Amino acid sequence: MEHLLQVENLKVNFKTFGGEVKAVRGVTFHVDKGETVAIVGESGCGKSVTAQAIMGLIPSPPGRIVDGSIRFNGQEITAMSKEELHRIRGTQIGMVFQDPMTALNPTMKVGSQIAEGLIRHRNLGKQEAKQKAVEMLKLVGIPDAAKRAEQYPHEFSGGMRQRVVIAIALACSPELVIADEPTTALDVTVQAQILDLMRDLQQQNNLAIVLITHDLGVVAEAAQRAVVMYAGIVVETGPVEEIFARPKHPYTWGLMKSMPRIDGAKERLVPIEGAPPDLFNPPHGCPFAARCDYAMEICQRQMPEATDFADGHKAACWLHDERAPKIDELVAAGRQV
């Protein structure tokens, strides 16, 4: 079966005065119709750059896709011309950008910003597009939509602006929506409302969603599968329930230990010590080795192949090699749990 979106061995570099940054280094994952896939990892791991590559929004210069394939509905996005990308963006793939205040034009009324895509991609007249914009505002739960469509972004709260950005992304009925940190800078109540809204819209329209976040709570709430990224590569991927119940990579273990639990168990939060590697000159081996309590000599020298577990669960870690010592042996030798 062909996937709606298939990303294979994606590599993206950026040229700077200090050298070439290898921001994304061989990312592979897929998304099927109607499902939510979360891309999770700390800041700078390559999540947003991956999303921009899918949308054809890598600024060139300084950025360029060095290698890899991005196929959407069987079409190779990396081989498309600017005109072909313009046709696919908005109509087949929508994007919810990270900061709704900067994503929206402060000089245009909200309704006009929604109508803009409808006029361009759906060839609607101005009046018809304006009416459709009001319908979209109602769809995303904004009260008194006709009046609000005539207002400017600064007259909306942060949560309402995020709803407007979602309305713009969905206006042309795309099959896939990429949501880049859609709940960042929102309070917990509004975060829950936005996630509920996206879930409802997904069910109504059979949307596929790529959810980019660093918040594991959001991943647990909204996604069916997760892609864990670190230093531009995928270190673990699989069903969300499987990853949360049986994480296989030390970086994922670190993420789990650094988040509070809500099941009543009281545990001290443990931060991941150290800093990510320099992507001007990334390590030859596992990029997490310098911060890993279980790192072995091979980890510094060579990147491991991904090991397959149940239900599509994979992790790239030398600990799962049959020649590696068991975790309890490493703990007995003085390594941390």
Side-chain angles (χ1 to χ4, degrees):
M1 183 186 74
E2 187 172 44
H3 304 296
L4 178 65
L5 175 71
Q6 177 72 59
V7 179
E8 292 185 2
N9 195 36
L10 178 65
K11 298 179 181 179
V12 182
N13 292 358
F14 290 88
K15 286 188 176 180
T16 71
F17 289 112
E20 193 163 34
V21 178
K22 298 173 179 62
V24 175
R25 304 186 294 129
V27 166
T28 297
F29 68 94
H30 72 270
V31 184
D32 291 324
K33 290 184 178 181
E35 77 167 341
T36 299
V37 174
I39 302 179
V40 62
E42 61 193 69
S43 297
C45 71
K47 305 186 301 294
S48 294
V49 173
T50 299
Q52 290 167 5
I54 295 169
M55 292 293 291
L57 293 175
I58 297 293
S60 180
R64 63 191 179 101
I65 295 177
V66 179
D67 195 8
S69 170
I70 304 171
R71 295 185 66 81
F72 176 76
N73 265 339
Q75 305 173 77
E76 182 58 52
I77 289 179
T78 60
M80 288 183 178
S81 65
K82 287 185 178 181
E83 291 75 18
E84 289 172 322
L85 283 170
H86 282 315
R87 284 197 293 270
I88 201 172
R89 282 198 295 255
T91 56
Q92 297 180 54
I93 306 177
M95 186 157 185
V96 178
F97 290 94
Q98 190 166 1
D99 182 356
M101 194 59 202
T102 56
L104 296 171
N105 187 332
T107 68
M108 287 179 65
K109 294 178 180 178
V110 160
S112 298
Q113 296 189 55
I114 300 173
E116 190 175 34
L118 292 164
I119 294 169
R120 176 169 187 170
H121 296 296
R122 295 291 185 232
N123 297 317
L124 300 185
K126 287 187 177 180
Q127 197 59 38
E128 189 180 359
K130 183 178 179 181
Q131 183 179 351
K132 178 68 173 176
V134 172
E135 292 175 7
M136 291 305 302
L137 289 176
K138 290 179 182 177
L139 182 67
V140 297
I142 293 182
D144 201 3
K147 178 181 177 182
R148 299 293 262 171
E150 297 299 316
Q151 295 179 330
Y152 292 89
H154 72 270
E155 298 178 84
F156 288 69
S157 67
M160 287 296 185
R161 283 195 293 266
Q162 192 64 282
R163 290 172 185 264
V164 171
V165 173
I166 293 172
I168 293 172
L170 296 177
C172 294
S173 303
E175 296 180 71
L176 172 69
V177 169
I178 300 173
D180 190 357
E181 303 277 10
T183 58
T184 295
L186 301 178
D187 62 56
V188 175
T189 303
V190 178
Q191 282 187 22
Q193 292 172 356
I194 295 297
L195 292 175
D196 287 343
L197 170 64
M198 293 181 66
R199 188 184 299 108
D200 292 343
L201 294 172
Q202 181 178 38
Q203 292 172 353
Q204 292 171 25
N205 302 286
N206 196 31
L207 273 177
I209 298 176
V210 175
L211 179 62
I212 296 172
T213 184
H214 61 269
D215 189 334
L216 290 178
V218 170
V219 175
E221 175 73 17
Q224 288 84 53
R225 289 191 299 111
V227 177
V228 183
M229 286 186 65
Y230 182 79
I233 67 170
V234 174
V235 295
E236 186 164 1
T237 184
V240 166
E241 290 184 3
E242 184 71 18
I243 287 179
F244 273 72
R246 288 169 286 277
K248 299 295 186 182
H249 196 280
Y251 177 59
T252 313
W253 299 342
L255 291 178
M256 297 295 185
K257 288 181 182 179
S258 66
M259 65 179 289
R261 297 178 60 169
I262 59 173
D263 59 2
K266 295 182 179 180
E267 293 182 357
R268 180 179 294 275
L269 299 184
V270 181
I272 302 175
E273 300 292 342
D278 181 6
L279 293 184
F280 282 106
N281 185 27
H284 295 292
C286 174
F288 191 62
R291 305 172 74 184
C292 181
D293 293 325
Y294 309 100
M296 300 171 283
E297 185 178 343
I298 186 66
C299 301
Q300 307 282 352
R301 299 198 318 262
Q302 185 178 339
M303 183 66 198
E305 296 291 331
T307 301
D308 290 324
F309 303 97
D311 301 321
H313 188 183
K314 299 179 180 181
C317 180
W318 282 112
L319 289 175
H320 303 297
D321 189 282
E322 60 183 12
R323 296 164 294 179
K326 304 302 179 186
I327 294 295
D328 54 359
E329 296 174 10
L330 292 173
V331 172
R335 310 290 182 95
Q336 296 181 16
V337 178

